[in-house]
Amino acid sequence: MITISRKSTSIGMLYGALIGALFLFGAVSLLLGNSAQAADDYPYSDDCVHSGCVDPWRFYKRQCTSFVAWRLNAANGLVFNNDYDRDGSLDFRDASNWKAAAQHFGIRVDNTPAVGAVAWQKGGNHVAWVSEVHDTTVTIEEYNYGYNYSYNRRTKPKTMFEYIHFKDLSSSNAFTAGIYTQAGGSYEFHLNNQNAGNAADRIFRYGNTSGHHTVVMGDWNGNGTTTAGVVSTTSDGKLKWWLRNKHSGGNADVTFTYGSAGDIPVVGDWDGNGTVTIGVVKKSGSSWRWYLRNSNSAGATHHKFNYGSTNSTPITGDWNGNGTWSQGVVYPRSDDRLRWLLRNSLNGGGYQIEVIYGRRGMTPITGDWDGNGTFTPGAVQKTSTNLKWHLRNSNTSGVADHAFTYGSRSHRPIVGDWDGVN
């Protein structure tokens, strides 16, 4: 069973309560270049510049790092802060550290600019925000170029910078493709920020493959990014959930038990609060019995009902775009077409949406492929060599709106909004 998460973006989230920490300067380059002034939207352009002047993102005001943090939050819709992993310590600090820090968190750094990417100056100590990309040049916006504590705009050769792709403006809230496989005792994840056959934007390993495990994907902390989780079976027959809030290897951020051996793990935002939480589906005679919880913790079930027969595949998603996830099932018909029966409320009853899409043997997936807030069907076909994806943008029967090849036949498909915070 493959499970996914809907993004809930908080644009321009500010962090108050800045106490007792060392905040470092984003020093700047002294290289000269042509500049063209443009509108300055930075909210602290007239504030102080000494060491006590700290912005809400935990950088010094009117430094290059503060300006870029502002743009990532305000323009890119990224919840970005110097304490990137929310563990209480500073991660990005001055501009010279940004490349290494981004790579540490599995964020792509390359030589290909994109609007909304961060330009990291090679051999210098400066970052800027990319506003335009041309054939051989890139236009950047920045603060404190030449130690003037002010706004500047320049067009320079692309080769002058490397580019950090936190959340480019070419990306959106749409769900995109990912794959995973077993590698070296862990699961190796390849996440793609586009629904296309290009190389992965993030690769990392997480989880232990020994024993019986199920991979789940969700926005476990409501920060807007889909991250990995693994569900294992304990020796006493319980399901143990190991959820991680970053695109990287390491220990789980949240662990707890919920469900029993043989249950099918499912996830979704059952109460519409922006956080994806847990559930299981059990056999109850010839029907599926759903047990859903509004918290990523052990405890009582919040939603309990029967829906679908056990010869179907359980799925979840926000079928009507109201912010709350609900259940669905997918059956193979006698003509080998897939029949999707979707319901918009967390209770038993008849289906409210019927879709005929995909064929027997394909893996059904669901996601918001066009970023409009509504989950729609997808089907992944395993060919003799690779995975072929067929995604549709409406809950109606018809042909694919997106078709592409991504991953080999040994991989398993996952989907999510990978380019939020992490």
Side-chain angles (χ1 to χ4, degrees):
M1 178 65 186
I2 296 166
T3 49
I4 53 182
S5 119
R6 167 74 195 142
K7 173 174 184 172
S8 173
T9 303
S10 176
I11 299 179
M13 179 180 288
L14 302 183
Y15 284 79
L18 306 173
I19 58 173
L22 175 64
F23 301 91
L24 299 179
F25 279 95
V28 298
S29 168
L30 290 175
L31 296 177
L32 298 178
N34 296 327
S35 65
Q37 293 295 327
D40 179 4
D41 61 354
Y42 178 65
Y44 304 109
S45 59
D46 296 324
D47 276 30
C48 58
V49 296
H50 58 74
S51 60
C53 300
V54 178
D55 67 24
W57 313 285
R58 305 181 69 171
F59 298 99
Y60 281 132
K61 294 177 180 177
R62 296 174 66 181
Q63 300 289 329
C64 63
T65 49
S66 177
F67 174 77
V68 170
W70 153 253
R71 276 295 174 85
L72 288 174
N73 280 273
N76 296 48
L78 178 71
V79 182
F80 177 79
N81 184 279
N82 202 352
D83 180 9
Y84 190 73
D85 57 4
R86 315 297 190 258
D87 67 354
S89 63
L90 301 184
D91 299 309
F92 280 80
R93 298 177 177 265
D94 68 292
S96 64
N97 295 325
W98 278 45
K99 176 183 175 180
Q103 291 173 327
H104 171 75
F105 288 109
I107 300 163
R108 178 164 56 97
V109 181
D110 60 22
N111 294 311
T112 304
V115 174
V118 174
W120 182 82
Q121 188 165 305
K122 298 177 181 179
N125 191 13
H126 189 55
V127 288
W129 188 83
V130 177
S131 60
E132 297 176 23
V133 178
H134 311 286
D135 289 341
T136 60
T137 61
V138 61
T139 300
I140 59 170
E141 296 180 61
E142 61 198 343
Y143 245 70
N144 205 20
Y145 173 72
Y147 292 105
N148 62 5
Y149 302 110
S150 299
Y151 172 84
N152 191 51
R153 180 181 172 96
R154 294 182 290 158
T155 298
K156 303 299 293 182
K158 290 179 179 178
T159 55
M160 185 173 174
F161 306 98
E162 291 182 68
Y163 300 93
I164 305 173
H165 301 275
F166 289 97
K167 184 186 178 186
D168 301 341
L169 289 183
S170 57
S171 63
S172 70
N173 294 353
F175 276 39
T176 53
I179 52 177
Y180 73 93
T181 189
Q182 295 187 20
S186 297
Y187 292 103
E188 183 170 286
F189 295 84
H190 296 239
L191 309 182
N192 190 342
N193 287 337
Q194 302 179 58
N195 283 319
N198 53 288
D201 293 286
R202 291 175 172 84
I203 300 174
F204 62 95
R205 293 184 181 184
Y206 175 68
N208 188 333
T209 60
S210 63
H212 178 73
H213 294 78
T214 302
V215 169
V216 291
M217 309 299 294
D219 180 3
W220 315 123
N221 60 2
N223 70 357
T225 300
T226 308
T227 51
V230 175
V231 184
S232 64
T233 302
T234 66
S235 59
D236 58 352
K238 296 180 180 179
L239 293 186
K240 187 164 185 178
W241 299 67
W242 311 76
L243 308 181
R244 183 150 174 85
N245 292 326
K246 296 177 280 293
H247 291 315
S248 62
N251 295 326
D253 294 292
V254 182
T255 61
F256 54 89
T257 57
Y258 185 80
S260 303
D263 295 350
I264 300 173
V266 293
V267 301
D269 184 0
W270 317 125
D271 57 5
N273 72 347
T275 299
V276 170
T277 55
I278 58 172
V280 295
V281 180
K282 303 173 181 279
K283 286 186 177 181
S284 176
S286 61
S287 299
W288 289 127
R289 181 75 168 166
W290 298 66
Y291 298 81
L292 311 178
R293 180 162 166 78
N294 292 333
S295 173
N296 287 318
S297 61
T301 295
H302 294 107
H303 309 277
K304 186 188 305 182
F305 54 88
N306 283 19
Y307 186 78
S309 64
T310 55
N311 64 340
S312 64
T313 300
I315 57 173
T316 63
D318 181 1
W319 316 125
N320 59 5
N322 70 350
T324 301
W325 295 31
S326 52
Q327 72 277 14
V329 290
V330 182
Y331 297 85
R333 299 197 315 184
S334 59
D335 63 356
D336 288 337
R337 301 294 301 278
L338 296 182
R339 184 186 186 205
W340 304 60
L341 303 179
L342 313 178
R343 185 164 173 79
N344 290 324
S345 56
L346 293 172
N347 51 40
Y351 64 86
Q352 294 166 310
I353 302 171
E354 179 182 17
V355 179
I356 308 301
Y357 188 73
R359 292 196 166 273
R360 185 189 298 269
M362 292 183 173
T363 300
I365 57 174
T366 67
D368 180 6
W369 317 124
D370 57 5
N372 72 348
T374 300
F375 280 59
T376 51
V380 181
Q381 174 188 4
K382 184 182 289 187
T383 72
S384 60
T385 57
N386 50 40
L387 298 181
K388 189 167 184 180
W389 300 62
H390 307 263
L391 310 180
R392 183 156 174 79
N393 287 336
S394 64
N395 285 315
T396 58
S397 305
V399 299
D401 294 291
H402 310 277
F404 57 94
T405 298
Y406 183 68
S408 71
R409 66 174 285 111
S410 63
H411 292 132
R412 300 191 66 181
I414 49 177
V415 301
D417 186 355
W418 318 123
D419 61 354
V421 171
N422 292 298

Coordinates of all heavy atoms in Angstrom, one line a residue, residues 173-213:
N173 N 2.6 23.6 -5.5 CA 2.1 22.7 -4.4 C 1.8 21.3 -5.0 O 1.3 20.5 -4.3 CB 0.9 23.3 -3.8 CG 1.2 24.6 -3.0 OD1 2.3 25.0 -2.9 ND2 0.2 25.2 -2.6
A174 N 2.0 21.1 -6.3 CA 1.7 19.8 -6.9 C 2.5 18.6 -6.3 O 3.6 18.8 -5.9 CB 1.8 19.9 -8.4
F175 N 1.8 17.5 -6.3 CA 2.5 16.3 -6.0 C 3.3 15.8 -7.2 O 2.9 15.9 -8.3 CB 1.5 15.2 -5.6 CG 1.1 15.2 -4.2 CD1 0.9 16.4 -3.5 CD2 0.9 14.1 -3.5 CE1 0.5 16.5 -2.2 CE2 0.4 14.1 -2.2 CZ 0.2 15.3 -1.5
T176 N 4.5 15.2 -6.9 CA 5.4 14.7 -8.0 C 5.9 13.3 -7.6 O 5.6 12.8 -6.5 CB 6.5 15.7 -8.2 OG1 7.2 15.9 -7.0 CG2 6.0 17.0 -8.8
A177 N 6.6 12.8 -8.6 CA 6.9 11.3 -8.5 C 8.1 11.1 -7.6 O 9.0 11.9 -7.4 CB 7.3 10.8 -9.9
G178 N 8.2 9.9 -7.0 CA 9.3 9.4 -6.3 C 9.3 7.9 -6.4 O 8.4 7.3 -6.8
I179 N 10.5 7.3 -6.1 CA 10.6 5.9 -6.1 C 11.5 5.5 -4.9 O 12.2 6.3 -4.3 CB 11.3 5.4 -7.4 CG1 12.6 6.1 -7.7 CG2 10.3 5.5 -8.5 CD1 13.3 5.7 -8.9
Y180 N 11.4 4.2 -4.5 CA 12.3 3.7 -3.5 C 12.6 2.2 -3.7 O 11.9 1.5 -4.5 CB 11.7 3.9 -2.1 CG 10.6 3.0 -1.7 CD1 10.8 1.7 -1.1 CD2 9.2 3.3 -2.0 CE1 9.7 0.9 -0.7 CE2 8.2 2.5 -1.7 CZ 8.4 1.3 -1.0 OH 7.4 0.4 -0.7
T181 N 13.7 1.8 -3.2 CA 14.1 0.4 -3.3 C 14.9 0.0 -2.1 O 15.3 0.9 -1.3 CB 14.9 0.2 -4.6 OG1 15.1 -1.2 -4.8 CG2 16.3 0.9 -4.5
Q182 N 15.2 -1.2 -1.9 CA 16.1 -1.7 -0.8 C 17.5 -1.6 -1.2 O 17.9 -1.9 -2.3 CB 15.7 -3.1 -0.4 CG 14.3 -3.3 0.2 CD 14.1 -4.7 0.8 OE1 15.0 -5.4 1.1 NE2 12.8 -5.0 0.9
A183 N 18.3 -1.0 -0.3 CA 19.8 -0.9 -0.6 C 20.5 -0.9 0.7 O 20.3 0.0 1.6 CB 20.0 0.4 -1.3
G184 N 21.5 -1.8 0.9 CA 22.3 -1.9 2.0 C 21.6 -1.9 3.4 O 22.1 -1.3 4.3
G185 N 20.5 -2.7 3.4 CA 19.8 -2.8 4.7 C 18.9 -1.6 5.0 O 18.2 -1.6 6.0
S186 N 18.8 -0.6 4.1 CA 17.9 0.5 4.3 C 17.0 0.7 3.0 O 17.2 0.0 2.0 CB 18.7 1.8 4.5 OG 19.4 1.7 5.7
Y187 N 16.1 1.6 3.1 CA 15.3 2.0 1.9 C 16.0 3.2 1.3 O 16.3 4.2 2.0 CB 13.9 2.3 2.3 CG 13.1 1.1 2.7 CD1 12.8 0.9 4.1 CD2 12.6 0.2 1.8 CE1 12.1 -0.2 4.5 CE2 11.9 -0.9 2.2 CZ 11.6 -1.1 3.5 OH 10.9 -2.2 3.9
E188 N 16.2 3.1 0.0 CA 16.8 4.3 -0.7 C 15.7 5.0 -1.5 O 15.1 4.4 -2.3 CB 18.0 3.8 -1.6 CG 18.6 5.0 -2.3 CD 19.9 4.6 -3.1 OE1 20.9 4.3 -2.4 OE2 19.8 4.5 -4.3
F189 N 15.6 6.3 -1.2 CA 14.5 7.1 -1.8 C 15.1 8.0 -2.9 O 16.2 8.6 -2.7 CB 13.9 7.9 -0.7 CG 13.1 7.1 0.3 CD1 13.8 6.6 1.4 CD2 11.8 6.9 0.2 CE1 13.1 5.8 2.4 CE2 11.1 6.2 1.1 CZ 11.8 5.6 2.2
H190 N 14.4 8.1 -4.0 CA 14.8 9.0 -5.1 C 13.6 9.9 -5.3 O 12.5 9.4 -5.8 CB 15.2 8.3 -6.4 CG 16.4 7.4 -6.2 ND1 17.5 7.6 -7.1 CD2 16.7 6.4 -5.4 CE1 18.4 6.7 -6.7 NE2 18.0 6.0 -5.7
L191 N 13.7 11.2 -5.0 CA 12.5 12.1 -5.1 C 12.7 13.1 -6.2 O 13.8 13.7 -6.4 CB 12.3 12.9 -3.8 CG 12.3 12.0 -2.5 CD1 12.1 12.8 -1.3 CD2 11.2 10.9 -2.6
N192 N 11.7 13.3 -7.1 CA 11.8 14.1 -8.2 C 10.8 15.3 -8.1 O 9.6 15.0 -7.8 CB 11.4 13.3 -9.5 CG 11.6 13.9 -10.8 OD1 11.7 15.2 -10.8 ND2 11.6 13.2 -11.9
N193 N 11.2 16.5 -8.2 CA 10.4 17.6 -8.1 C 9.5 17.9 -9.3 O 8.8 19.0 -9.4 CB 11.2 18.9 -7.7 CG 11.7 18.9 -6.3 OD1 11.1 18.2 -5.4 ND2 12.8 19.6 -6.0
Q194 N 9.6 17.1 -10.3 CA 8.8 17.2 -11.5 C 8.1 15.9 -11.8 O 8.7 14.8 -11.5 CB 9.6 17.7 -12.7 CG 10.3 19.0 -12.5 CD 11.2 19.3 -13.8 OE1 10.6 19.4 -14.9 NE2 12.5 19.5 -13.6
N195 N 7.0 15.9 -12.5 CA 6.4 14.7 -13.1 C 7.0 14.5 -14.4 O 6.4 14.8 -15.5 CB 4.9 14.8 -13.0 CG 4.3 14.6 -11.7 OD1 4.8 13.7 -10.9 ND2 3.3 15.4 -11.3
A196 N 8.2 14.0 -14.5 CA 9.0 13.8 -15.7 C 10.1 12.8 -15.5 O 10.3 12.3 -14.3 CB 9.6 15.1 -16.1
G197 N 10.8 12.4 -16.5 CA 11.8 11.4 -16.4 C 13.2 11.9 -16.1 O 14.1 11.2 -16.4
N198 N 13.3 13.1 -15.5 CA 14.6 13.6 -15.3 C 15.2 13.0 -14.0 O 14.6 12.2 -13.3 CB 14.5 15.1 -15.1 CG 13.5 15.5 -14.0 OD1 12.3 15.4 -14.3 ND2 14.0 15.9 -12.8
A199 N 16.5 13.3 -13.7 CA 17.2 12.7 -12.6 C 16.5 13.2 -11.3 O 15.9 14.2 -11.2 CB 18.7 13.1 -12.6
A200 N 16.7 12.4 -10.2 CA 16.2 12.7 -8.9 C 16.8 14.0 -8.4 O 17.9 14.3 -8.5 CB 16.4 11.6 -7.9
D201 N 15.9 14.8 -7.7 CA 16.4 16.0 -7.0 C 17.0 15.7 -5.6 O 17.8 16.4 -5.1 CB 15.2 17.0 -6.8 CG 14.8 17.5 -8.2 OD1 15.5 18.4 -8.8 OD2 13.7 17.1 -8.7
R202 N 16.5 14.6 -5.0 CA 17.0 14.2 -3.7 C 17.1 12.7 -3.6 O 16.3 12.0 -4.1 CB 16.0 14.7 -2.5 CG 16.0 16.2 -2.3 CD 14.9 16.5 -1.3 NE 14.9 17.9 -0.9 CZ 14.3 18.9 -1.6 NH1 13.7 18.6 -2.7 NH2 14.4 20.1 -1.2
I203 N 18.2 12.3 -3.0 CA 18.5 10.8 -2.8 C 19.0 10.6 -1.4 O 19.9 11.3 -1.0 CB 19.5 10.3 -3.8 CG1 19.0 10.5 -5.3 CG2 19.8 8.8 -3.5 CD1 20.1 10.0 -6.3
F204 N 18.3 9.7 -0.7 CA 18.8 9.5 0.7 C 18.3 8.1 1.1 O 17.5 7.5 0.4 CB 18.2 10.5 1.7 CG 16.7 10.5 1.8 CD1 16.0 9.8 2.7 CD2 16.0 11.3 0.8 CE1 14.6 9.8 2.8 CE2 14.6 11.3 0.9 CZ 13.9 10.5 1.9
R205 N 18.9 7.6 2.2 CA 18.5 6.3 2.7 C 17.9 6.4 4.1 O 18.4 7.2 4.9 CB 19.7 5.3 2.8 CG 20.2 4.9 1.4 CD 21.3 3.9 1.4 NE 21.7 3.6 0.1 CZ 22.7 2.6 -0.2 NH1 23.2 1.9 0.8 NH2 23.0 2.4 -1.4
Y206 N 16.8 5.7 4.4 CA 16.2 5.8 5.7 C 15.5 4.4 6.0 O 14.9 3.8 5.1 CB 15.2 6.9 5.7 CG 14.4 6.9 7.0 CD1 15.0 7.3 8.2 CD2 13.0 6.6 7.0 CE1 14.3 7.3 9.4 CE2 12.3 6.6 8.2 CZ 13.0 7.0 9.4 OH 12.3 6.9 10.6
G207 N 15.5 4.0 7.2 CA 14.8 2.9 7.6 C 15.6 1.6 7.6 O 16.6 1.5 7.0
N208 N 15.0 0.6 8.2 CA 15.7 -0.8 8.3 C 14.8 -1.7 7.5 O 13.6 -1.8 7.8 CB 15.8 -1.2 9.7 CG 16.6 -2.4 9.9 OD1 16.6 -3.3 9.0 ND2 17.2 -2.6 11.1
T209 N 15.3 -2.5 6.6 CA 14.5 -3.4 5.8 C 14.4 -4.8 6.3 O 13.7 -5.6 5.7 CB 15.1 -3.5 4.4 OG1 16.5 -4.0 4.5 CG2 15.2 -2.1 3.7
S210 N 15.0 -5.1 7.5 CA 14.9 -6.4 8.0 C 13.5 -6.6 8.6 O 12.9 -5.7 9.2 CB 16.0 -6.6 9.1 OG 15.7 -5.7 10.2
G211 N 12.9 -7.8 8.4 CA 11.6 -8.1 8.8 C 10.5 -7.5 7.9 O 10.8 -7.2 6.7
H212 N 9.3 -7.5 8.4 CA 8.2 -7.0 7.6 C 8.0 -5.5 7.8 O 7.7 -5.1 8.9 CB 6.9 -7.8 7.9 CG 5.7 -7.3 7.1 ND1 5.5 -7.6 5.8 CD2 4.7 -6.5 7.5 CE1 4.4 -7.0 5.4 NE2 3.9 -6.4 6.4
H213 N 8.1 -4.7 6.7 CA 8.0 -3.3 6.8 C 7.1 -2.7 5.7 O 7.1 -3.3 4.6 CB 9.4 -2.6 6.7 CG 10.3 -2.9 7.9 ND1 10.9 -4.0 8.1 CD2 10.5 -2.1 9.0 CE1 11.6 -4.0 9.2 NE2 11.4 -2.9 9.8

